[in-house]
């Protein structure tokens, strides 16, 4: 339905989009994800035929966006972020205007207006002035306008921006209804939203397409693994406990996350949820369990990894996820720069704690491991690695020193 | 064509939904009526002269033509560009030209309505037994509408060049002023080529020496149409540069 190949767009010296290629099949729902300024809106505007591309071709429903622009525009419903509607008109007048622009017949107009108003739930507000509608209602009116000609492709630019949480849920539900009949491309920087509505995700960062696939595919291809986190008292023989856990069917690897007080923490890498098997093993071995959880990287973690390298992982995830994350960012050469830039700003050093370097199973960089205790004063030493406090060389470096040193090394 | 009509209807509605159109109409009708009475008096009761004065042979007419069209057109592109409505129109299945021409026709229709006040005066006079010459009346009105069309096109161009309506109005007034007073340059030189060139841009002359005499000369009509089309063409180009910038 949509085919974009080698799309590049420059604004003067600034390259907003750099060699972006993707395909969207009929009936697919695609989420366009990226931080502000990544090039989402530019891409959508090019798809809608508002902006011409500097180079590359874009085809919608088989028509070239630049050369057969009118044919393309007949087939798309485009809702820009600003939700442009004439404020001095009533909702139904705005819809009539759109119907006239698309050349619908009088009967079609009447029927479609009834249908779309019903769909977005504005039937009782049809006579209201657009200027008097609240932001959420205006969003729905905009959606009604975009839907009116029954377009094959629906392009929604940040359909939930500026809405309160309740309105956001409403609009999201509305979009989900639409996905059965239209090919939908929507952009957002709100990740849970994309995760909830779009099976397929495209991630753009600084004008480049850095990831494309379903959530599961992205998780698989970008190195972060789903795992079972288990925290238990396993006694002195940690190594045999590790071997036992590794022997469970379906386990791909066991990472020793070190000792937390009397408990020992393991991450058991596996594709399926193996909590029951691990629990059964713990029961058989009489290990006192403190935590047993199934962790899958969320799109949010994935996104921050992809966009910035390991740096911005959420604090709760930083301890467990950051080692694999840093590994993946190294494996992904196009992202090395981003993570480097981030490290030099000192952002990445803050959430990283000793456990990141201390894990024996991980590819640690060549420099000697430095143990830095968690800098969170409210942590009460919970993440302290009691097993290896002595590996610190000299006095524990302060936070600022640590930051300097890291940026120097990068 | 279908899109052009849709845009035209929307713009007419937009004009008359706002207060500006009504305020302008009221002021201009008031001023024109008052001036018409003055013209009648000063011409010693010559009805044709009064019609001629009120439809083009006076400074008041040209001042109105310089000031009113920019006020109508200033918001038509610039404000829509700011509010994102332009993005909506330019992704609708209609050509850029029909967006501009639709808006242009709306502004011209409004100005045509504004000038038709003379028909009321003429009607009133003919019931009193002093009907003005129909040729002068209709010719003058057509000329006034053609001149208004030209100035509307200039206003749209100014509107398409900026995102600020006030700036658009200011720019349009300046451009209109230049168009109206440019013929004064003819005093600079007696060179015949220069004189001819000046004659080809003299808007006042083209209006007063043909339409106001009750004469519909196609070459004079073509003069207005050609300049109008040129400015509309430039406006469409200006709109297109927005896509690239």
């Amino acid at each position: 339905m949509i085919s974009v190949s080698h799309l590049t767009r420059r604004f003067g010296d600034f390259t907003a989009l750099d060699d972006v290629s993707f395909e969207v099949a009929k009936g697919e729902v695609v989420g366009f994800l990226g931080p502000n300024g990544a090039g989402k809106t530019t891409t959508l505007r090019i798809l809608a035929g508002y902006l011409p591309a500097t180079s590359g071709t874009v085809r919608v429903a088989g028509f070239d966006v630049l050369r057969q622009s009118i044919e393309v525009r007949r087939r798309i419903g485009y809702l820009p972020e600003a939700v442009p509607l004439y404020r001095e008109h009533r909702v139904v007048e705005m819809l009539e205007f759109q119907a006239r622009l698309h050349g619908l017949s009088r009967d079609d107009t009447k029927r479609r207006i009834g249908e779309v108003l019903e769909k977005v739930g504005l039937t009782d507000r049809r006579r209201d002035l657009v200027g008097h509608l609240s932001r959420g209602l205006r969003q729905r009116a905009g959606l009604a306008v975009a839907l009116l000609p029954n377009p094959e492709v629906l392009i929604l630019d940040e359909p939930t921006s500026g809405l309160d949480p309740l309105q956001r849920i409403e609009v999201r539900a509305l979009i989900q209804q639409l996905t059965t009949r239209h090919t939908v491309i929507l952009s957002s920087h709100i990740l849970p939203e994309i995760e909830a509505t779009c099976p397929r995700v495209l991630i753009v960062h600084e004008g480049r397409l850095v990831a494309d696939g379903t959530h599961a595919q992205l998780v698989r291809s970008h190195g972060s693994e789903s795992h079972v986190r288990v925290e238990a008292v396993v006694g002195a023989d940690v190594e045999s406990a590790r071997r036992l856990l590794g022997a469970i069917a379906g386990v791909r690897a066991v990472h020793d996350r070190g000792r937390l007080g009397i408990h020992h923490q393991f991450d058991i890498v596996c594709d399926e949820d193996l909590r029951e098997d691990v629990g059964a093993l713990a029961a058989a071995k009489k290990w006192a369990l403190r935590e047993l959880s199934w962790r899958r990287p969320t799109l949010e973690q994935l996104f921050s990894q992809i966009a910035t390298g390991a740096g911005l992982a959420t604090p709760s995830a930083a301890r467990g996820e950051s080692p694999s994350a840093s590994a993946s960012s190294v494996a992904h050469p196009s992202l090395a720069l981003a993570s480097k830039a981030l490290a030099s700003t000192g952002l990445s050093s803050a959430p990283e704690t000793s456990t990141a370097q201390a894990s024996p199973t991980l590819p640690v960089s060549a420099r000697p491991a430095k143990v830095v205790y968690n800098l969170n004063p409210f942590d009460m030493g919970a993440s302290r690695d009691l097993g290896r406090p002595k590996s610190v060389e000299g006095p524990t470096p302060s936070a600022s020193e640590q930051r300097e040193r890291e940026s120097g090394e990068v | 064509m279908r899109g052009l009509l849709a845009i035209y209807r929307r713009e007419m509605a937009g004009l008359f939904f706002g207060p500006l159109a009504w305020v302008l109409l009221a002021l201009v009708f008031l001023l024109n009526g008052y001036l018409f009475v003055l013209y009648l008096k000063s011409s010693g009761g010559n009805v044709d002269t009064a019609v001629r004065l009120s439809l083009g042979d006076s400074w008041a007419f040209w001042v109105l033509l310089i000031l009113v069209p920019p006020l109508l057109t200033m918001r038509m592109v610039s404000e829509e560009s700011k509010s994102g409505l332009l993005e909506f129109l330019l992704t609708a299945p209609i050509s850029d030209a029909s967006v501009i021409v639709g808006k242009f026709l709306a502004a011209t229709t409004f100005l045509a309505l504004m000038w038709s006040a003379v028909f009321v005066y003429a009607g009133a006079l003919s019931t009193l037994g002093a009907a003005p010459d129909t040729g002068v009346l209709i010719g003058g009105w057509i000329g006034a509408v053609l001149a208004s069309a030209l100035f509307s096109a200039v206003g749209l161009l100014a509107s398409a060049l900026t995102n600020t309506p006030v700036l658009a109005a200011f720019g349009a007034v300046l451009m209109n002023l230049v168009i109206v007073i440019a013929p004064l340059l003819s005093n600079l030189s007696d060179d015949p080529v220069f004189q001819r060139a000046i004659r080809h841009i003299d808007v006042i002359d083209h209006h007063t020496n043909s339409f106001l005499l009750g004469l519909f000369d196609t070459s004079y009509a073509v003069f207005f149409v050609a300049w109008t089309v040129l400015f509309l063409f430039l406006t469409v180009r200006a709109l297109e540069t927005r896509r690239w910038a």
Side-chain angles (χ1 to χ4, degrees), chain B residues 112-131:
Chain B
L113 186 68
M114 200 171 89
W115 299 128
S116 18
V118 268
F119 292 126
V120 179
Y121 313 150
L125 285 175
S126 57
T127 54
L128 295 174

Side-chain angles (χ1 to χ4, degrees), chain B residues 6-89:
Chain B
I7 297 281
Y8 173 73
R9 285 182 65 170
R10 196 335 278 175
E11 283 303 322
M12 287 307 281
L15 270 179
F16 285 103
F17 279 178
L20 182 74
W22 297 107
V23 171
L24 274 181
L25 269 187
L27 283 179
V28 171
F29 281 164
L30 206 65
L31 185 73
N32 267 350
Y34 175 67
L35 285 177
F36 191 76
V37 173
L38 277 191
Y39 295 150
L40 262 184
K41 268 189 183 162
S42 63
S43 66
N46 188 332
V47 192
D48 289 345
T49 310
V51 168
R52 248 182 232 125
L53 280 168
S54 109
L55 277 181
D57 230 354
S58 62
W59 275 107
F61 173 84
W62 294 101
V63 168
L64 279 181
L65 256 193
I66 288 171
L67 293 179
V68 177
L71 292 178
L72 290 176
T73 54
M74 64 177 181
R75 298 169 56 209
M76 282 185 166
V77 183
S78 59
E79 198 167 84
E80 298 198 347
S81 149
K82 221 190 320 187
S83 68
L85 272 159
L86 204 62
E87 198 173 337
F88 170 73
L89 292 181

Side-chain angles (χ1 to χ4, degrees), chain A residues 245-315:
Chain A
L245 287 169
I248 297 173
V251 171
R252 288 201 277 131
V254 179
H255 296 315
D256 187 346
R257 295 289 182 226
R259 184 182 282 276
L260 307 168
I262 60 165
H263 297 83
H264 211 90
Q265 196 180 58
F266 297 99
D267 282 345
I268 302 158
V269 180
C270 47
D271 293 328
E272 297 151 75
D273 187 353
L274 290 180
R275 274 179 296 185
E276 289 185 349
D277 306 63
V278 175
L281 178 69
K285 286 276 152 194
K286 300 211 162 46
W287 294 338
L289 274 177
R290 191 166 73 163
E291 181 182 348
L292 181 61
S293 57
W294 167 237
R295 300 190 173 206
R296 271 193 329 164
T298 60
L299 209 50
E300 197 151 356
Q301 288 159 7
L302 204 66
F303 175 55
S304 51
Q305 277 169 36
I306 288 170
T308 62
L312 283 179
T314 52

Side-chain angles (χ1 to χ4, degrees), chain A residues 110-128:
Chain A
K110 221 172 159 194
R111 186 176 50 82
R112 284 299 299 163
I113 286 179
E115 280 174 19
V116 293
L117 282 176
E118 189 65 39
K119 202 173 265 179
V120 301
L122 279 179
T123 309
D124 49 340
R125 310 296 289 264
R126 56 191 293 150
R127 304 289 304 161
D128 282 20

Side-chain angles (χ1 to χ4, degrees), chain A residues 94-111:
Chain A
M94 192 67 212
L95 289 168
E96 281 164 358
F97 176 52
Q98 169 80 334
R100 251 177 253 131
L101 286 178
H102 279 263
L104 298 190
S105 71
R106 201 173 288 252
D107 292 344
D108 275 355
T109 304
K110 221 172 159 194
R111 186 176 50 82

Side-chain angles (χ1 to χ4, degrees), chain A residues 185-203:
Chain A
I185 294 195
L186 66 94
S187 80
S188 180
H189 55 256
I190 303 163
L191 298 116
E193 193 168 287
I194 294 269
E195 222 167 349
T197 32
C198 308
R200 182 173 158 207
V201 184
L202 298 172
I203 301 181

Side-chain angles (χ1 to χ4, degrees), chain A residues 94-408:
Chain A
M94 192 67 212
L95 289 168
E96 281 164 358
F97 176 52
Q98 169 80 334
R100 251 177 253 131
L101 286 178
H102 279 263
L104 298 190
S105 71
R106 201 173 288 252
D107 292 344
D108 275 355
T109 304
K110 221 172 159 194
R111 186 176 50 82
R112 284 299 299 163
I113 286 179
E115 280 174 19
V116 293
L117 282 176
E118 189 65 39
K119 202 173 265 179
V120 301
L122 279 179
T123 309
D124 49 340
R125 310 296 289 264
R126 56 191 293 150
R127 304 289 304 161
D128 282 20
L129 284 181
V130 170
H132 293 173
L133 295 179
S134 70
R135 185 78 174 78
L137 290 179
R138 199 132 46 89
Q139 193 83 34
R140 291 204 245 162
L143 209 52
V145 169
L147 279 173
L148 188 83
N150 206 2
E152 294 170 45
V153 180
L154 204 53
I155 300 175
L156 310 173
D157 194 3
E158 309 240 350
T160 55
S161 78
L163 300 185
D164 69 37
L166 275 176
Q167 295 170 328
R168 196 170 289 164
I169 291 169
E170 280 177 16
V171 169
R172 208 186 293 166
L174 198 58
I175 292 169
Q176 232 145 10
Q177 279 175 32
L178 302 175
T179 56
T180 48
R181 261 203 240 161
H182 310 264
T183 305
V184 182
I185 294 195
L186 66 94
S187 80
S188 180
H189 55 256
I190 303 163
L191 298 116
E193 193 168 287
I194 294 269
E195 222 167 349
T197 32
C198 308
R200 182 173 158 207
V201 184
L202 298 172
I203 301 181
V204 277
H205 180 61
E206 289 174 350
R208 270 163 303 149
L209 193 66
V210 291
D212 175 1
T214 63
H215 183 187
Q217 279 171 347
L218 290 185
V219 168
R220 223 172 296 138
S221 64
H222 284 87
S224 327
E225 296 148 319
S226 45
H227 59 260
V228 170
R229 160 80 48 92
V230 56
E231 215 176 289
V233 183
V234 295
D237 195 359
V238 176
E239 195 44 44
S240 68
R242 210 169 83 85
R243 265 202 304 277
L244 273 171
L245 287 169
I248 297 173
V251 171
R252 288 201 277 131
V254 179
H255 296 315
D256 187 346
R257 295 289 182 226
R259 184 182 282 276
L260 307 168
I262 60 165
H263 297 83
H264 211 90
Q265 196 180 58
F266 297 99
D267 282 345
I268 302 158
V269 180
C270 47
D271 293 328
E272 297 151 75
D273 187 353
L274 290 180
R275 274 179 296 185
E276 289 185 349
D277 306 63
V278 175
L281 178 69
K285 286 276 152 194
K286 300 211 162 46
W287 294 338
L289 274 177
R290 191 166 73 163
E291 181 182 348
L292 181 61
S293 57
W294 167 237
R295 300 190 173 206
R296 271 193 329 164
T298 60
L299 209 50
E300 197 151 356
Q301 288 159 7
L302 204 66
F303 175 55
S304 51
Q305 277 169 36
I306 288 170
T308 62
L312 283 179
T314 52
S316 67
R319 273 192 303 142
E321 251 76 52
S322 64
S324 52
S326 56
S328 82
S329 77
V330 172
H332 208 288
S334 68
L335 297 166
L337 253 176
S339 66
K340 206 181 261 185
L342 210 88
S344 63
T345 61
L347 259 169
S348 68
S349 61
E352 256 177 47
T353 60
S354 60
T355 44
Q357 270 84 29
S359 312
T361 52
L362 286 160
V364 182
S365 55
R367 64 199 162 101
K370 268 184 227 73
V371 176
V372 184
Y373 289 126
N374 193 329
L375 298 174
N376 180 355
F378 307 107
D379 202 27
M380 307 292 277
S383 59
R384 184 176 299 179
D385 182 2
L386 293 176
R388 321 182 46 164
K390 293 179 194 69
S391 64
V392 183
E393 305 146 344
T396 309
S398 70
S400 61
E401 271 177 327
Q402 171 75 4
R403 214 166 284 154
E404 273 168 28
R405 200 169 303 170
E406 278 206 0
S407 59

